[in-house]
Amino acid sequence: MLSIRIIPCLDVTDGRVVKGTKFVNLRDAGDPVEVAKRYNDEGADEIVFLDITATHEGRDTTIDLVRRTAEQVFIPLTVGGGLRNMNDIRNLLNAGADKVSLNSIAVKNPQFINEAAEKFGNQCIVVAIDAKKTEDKKWNVFINGGRIDTGLDVVKWAKDAVKFGAGEILLTSMDKDGTKDGYDNQLLEIISSEVNVPVIASGGAGQLEHFFDACKAGASALLAASLFHYKEIEIKDLKQFLKSKNIPVRT
Amino acid sequence: MKKIAIIDYGFGNIKSVTNALLFCGADPVVISSPKELSNYGGAVLPGVGAFAPAIQFLKNLNFDKALLDYLSAGKMLYGSCLGFQLLFTRSFENGENVGLNIIEGDVKHFNFTDGKLKIPHMGWNNVELKNGNNIKKMFDGINDSEQFYFVHSYYVALKNPSQIGAITKYGVSFCSAVAIDNVWGSQFHPEKSGNCGLKLMKNFIGAC
């Protein structure tokens, strides 16, 4: 059986993990490579690096970080945040990233998804969507780190992104993000039934049951950040829980 | 350290394969000329992307003939993901394209009508061991039905079922690995499959 994927997400800038972690016995708690290795040992199925670096110089450290991580962690690695052109994608893939996640640039220039998918294969092109509810069963797409409302309908955009060549959708609910009261399952249900590529649920996980609920809503993968960083939930316990609910997991 | 060639024809995740081979204690060398192939006792044919341009590049570089000579000298080959699919007779990805025909079989698209199963088949899935004279050697130290990492929309259907090394279930039951004499390969990415994948790569290095 294909397992549900559990994906810890690390916010990185200037080559360091931004959100603090409570991992103990690490040589350097802020080193993303160490954190990624730790997650790998704990049973993470993939790792996502979200690069929130603002400067050009900082981006080079991200490339280096990806390179160092890929030398030691042998599970899929996705990198997103601020990608601007084909060269950015190529550099990340050459450094050892398996997938890149496109957000604002994909909205501004959907043809870019197509170009990237044709050049590198759609298996490595993830389109990240930040969704905010505007009325019942309606969500808008936000870009630039959630600062700009594009007015685009999320369902329409998700379908278009797949048509342009997205191999996967990383769907973040801005309403739920940070609340710890569960993923936006209504949104997940609609998007995962409307597109035929895997959907990664993001934003809102706080308890074991929330992950199960997102599985039922149709998510193919479950992403969380601080919940894992602060060890409020450990990946092995989460997998044990999902297994007890008859959700296939990799153990 | 054993030198292992990684065939670079423009469609491989060269870096990931290099990293994994290094981690497993081999000395990987990226080669882009078929003349270099005969210097090695082991080679990996990696691959991500579409079948048609990949086989075209491989043939343009004359790797097709070189690979046949290489294999007839009894040397070890590992095809990973698209590199695995290229070993077969033909593919139906975007029309019909002729492959290397090292193993007889077709590459077909997943065709699900109920809409419940996503395409690509992406993630970790079980690999159940079947036949092939070297399959035990390939999976030495790895339990039957362990999970490996897959990402693909096409799968191989072998002409001769007795050559199926392992199967994986996703809508259909498809061949996910072969180990026939010196021709090894898998639909999954051993270089991205955690400890099980690394063990498998060590087994390959050991056989080279």
Side-chain angles (χ1 to χ4, degrees), chain B residues 88-148:
Chain B
F88 290 84
T89 312
R90 57 183 179 166
S91 166
F92 291 95
E93 181 174 359
N94 301 328
E96 187 179 327
N97 291 283
V98 177
L100 295 170
N101 199 28
I102 291 166
I103 308 167
E104 282 187 280
D106 289 342
V107 183
K108 298 176 173 178
H109 194 247
F110 283 122
N111 188 12
F112 305 133
T113 46
D114 66 356
K116 281 185 185 158
L117 291 173
K118 304 286 187 179
I119 299 172
H121 171 224
M122 183 188 287
W124 300 77
N125 205 338
N126 305 82
V127 172
E128 300 170 32
L129 305 188
K130 295 290 174 189
N131 313 307
N133 55 5
N134 266 332
I135 201 73
K136 285 204 169 70
K137 201 168 170 183
M138 182 173 173
F139 284 83
D140 182 40
I142 302 168
N143 293 331
D144 195 2
S145 290
E146 279 286 1
Q147 295 207 319
F148 290 81

Side-chain angles (χ1 to χ4, degrees), chain A residues 10-19 27-35 49-53 58 61-62 65 68:
Chain A
L10 305 175
D11 286 357
V12 298
T13 183
D14 298 321
R16 311 279 294 173
V17 177
V18 179
K19 286 179 187 164
R27 273 181 286 132
D28 179 352
D31 180 3
V33 181
E34 293 292 324
V35 179
F49 281 151
L50 183 61
D51 182 7
I52 57 170
T53 307
T61 65
T62 304
L65 159 65
R68 289 188 296 123

Side-chain angles (χ1 to χ4, degrees), chain A residues 1 3 74 98 192 195 250, chain B residues 118-119 124 126 147 192 194:
Chain A
M1 286 278 279
S3 292
F74 297 96
D98 299 287
S192 57
V195 301
R250 177 176 74 110
Chain B
K118 304 286 187 179
I119 299 172
W124 300 77
N126 305 82
Q147 295 207 319
K192 283 289 157 185

Side-chain angles (χ1 to χ4, degrees), chain A residues 1-3 5 45-46 67 70-77 93-96 98-99 120-121 123 167-168 192-193 195-199 218 220 249-250, chain B residues 13 15-16 19-21 23 48-49 115-126 146-149 151-153 169-170 190-195 198:
Chain A
M1 286 278 279
L2 182 65
S3 292
R5 286 172 282 148
D45 298 308
E46 285 185 40
R67 187 175 297 118
E71 281 168 4
Q72 298 189 43
V73 178
F74 297 96
I75 57 175
L77 176 63
L93 296 178
N94 284 346
D98 299 287
K99 311 180 204 179
F120 305 107
Q123 82 290 333
E168 201 172 13
S192 57
S193 66
V195 301
N196 193 32
V197 300
V199 176
S220 295
V249 292
R250 177 176 74 110
Chain B
N13 51 340
K15 185 71 181 169
S16 297
N19 284 338
L21 285 171
F23 194 87
V48 289
K116 281 185 185 158
L117 291 173
K118 304 286 187 179
I119 299 172
H121 171 224
M122 183 188 287
W124 300 77
N125 205 338
N126 305 82
E146 279 286 1
Q147 295 207 319
F148 290 81
Y149 185 76
V151 51
H152 61 122
S153 304
K169 290 168 186 153
Y170 191 67
E191 73 280 6
K192 283 289 157 185
S193 293
N195 290 338
L198 293 172

Side-chain angles (χ1 to χ4, degrees), chain A residues 187-244:
Chain A
L187 173 65
L188 271 173
E189 206 166 322
I190 293 173
I191 301 297
S192 57
S193 66
E194 290 285 348
V195 301
N196 193 32
V197 300
V199 176
I200 306 171
S202 162
Q207 294 165 26
L208 293 172
E209 287 75 13
H210 295 157
F211 292 89
F212 177 60
D213 293 341
C215 294
K216 282 192 299 183
S220 295
L222 309 163
L223 181 142
S226 55
L227 201 63
F228 295 142
H229 300 330
Y230 292 110
K231 285 185 167 281
E232 288 164 42
I233 287 179
E234 297 211 29
I235 290 170
K236 62 176 177 358
D237 297 333
L238 171 57
K239 287 194 163 182
Q240 201 54 50
F241 173 79
L242 291 174
K243 197 178 174 188
S244 76

Side-chain angles (χ1 to χ4, degrees), chain A residues 5-183:
Chain A
R5 286 172 282 148
I6 306 296
I7 308 178
C9 175
L10 305 175
D11 286 357
V12 298
T13 183
D14 298 321
R16 311 279 294 173
V17 177
V18 179
K19 286 179 187 164
T21 74
K22 285 190 175 168
F23 287 153
V24 288
N25 299 327
L26 289 178
R27 273 181 286 132
D28 179 352
D31 180 3
V33 181
E34 293 292 324
V35 179
K37 270 168 77 177
R38 176 68 175 252
Y39 280 137
N40 177 44
D41 294 343
E42 288 178 356
D45 298 308
E46 285 185 40
I47 304 276
V48 169
F49 281 151
L50 183 61
D51 182 7
I52 57 170
T53 307
T55 63
H56 189 70
E57 298 74 44
R59 299 210 160 266
D60 293 338
T61 65
T62 304
I63 300 280
D64 179 57
L65 159 65
V66 169
R67 187 175 297 118
R68 289 188 296 123
T69 306
E71 281 168 4
Q72 298 189 43
V73 178
F74 297 96
I75 57 175
L77 176 63
T78 302
V79 185
L83 280 91
R84 292 155 305 175
N85 50 50
M86 297 288 276
N87 218 26
D88 287 346
I89 299 181
R90 185 179 293 109
N91 287 340
L92 286 168
L93 296 178
N94 284 346
D98 299 287
K99 311 180 204 179
V100 292
S101 157
L102 309 176
N103 193 331
S104 302
I105 188 173
V107 176
K108 289 173 189 162
N109 177 15
Q111 202 55 46
F112 183 71
I113 307 174
N114 191 255
E115 267 177 61
E118 287 204 342
K119 178 77 189 161
F120 305 107
N122 59 0
Q123 82 290 333
C124 70
I125 305 300
V126 182
V127 169
I129 304 177
D130 291 339
K132 196 172 166 66
K133 203 166 192 166
T134 51
E135 55 189 89
D136 188 39
K137 293 196 178 178
K138 195 172 168 355
W139 296 261
N140 277 7
V141 177
F142 280 64
I143 57 168
N144 287 38
R147 288 188 293 272
I148 299 172
D149 181 358
T150 64
L152 269 177
D153 178 66
V154 167
V155 178
K156 183 180 183 304
W157 171 232
K159 288 164 83 169
D160 283 349
V162 172
K163 264 186 225 148
F164 278 109
E168 201 172 13
I169 300 286
L170 198 179
L171 185 62
T172 301
S173 160
M174 291 174 59
D175 308 289
K176 294 286 193 170
D177 203 22
T179 63
K180 294 195 178 174
D181 67 354
Y183 294 101

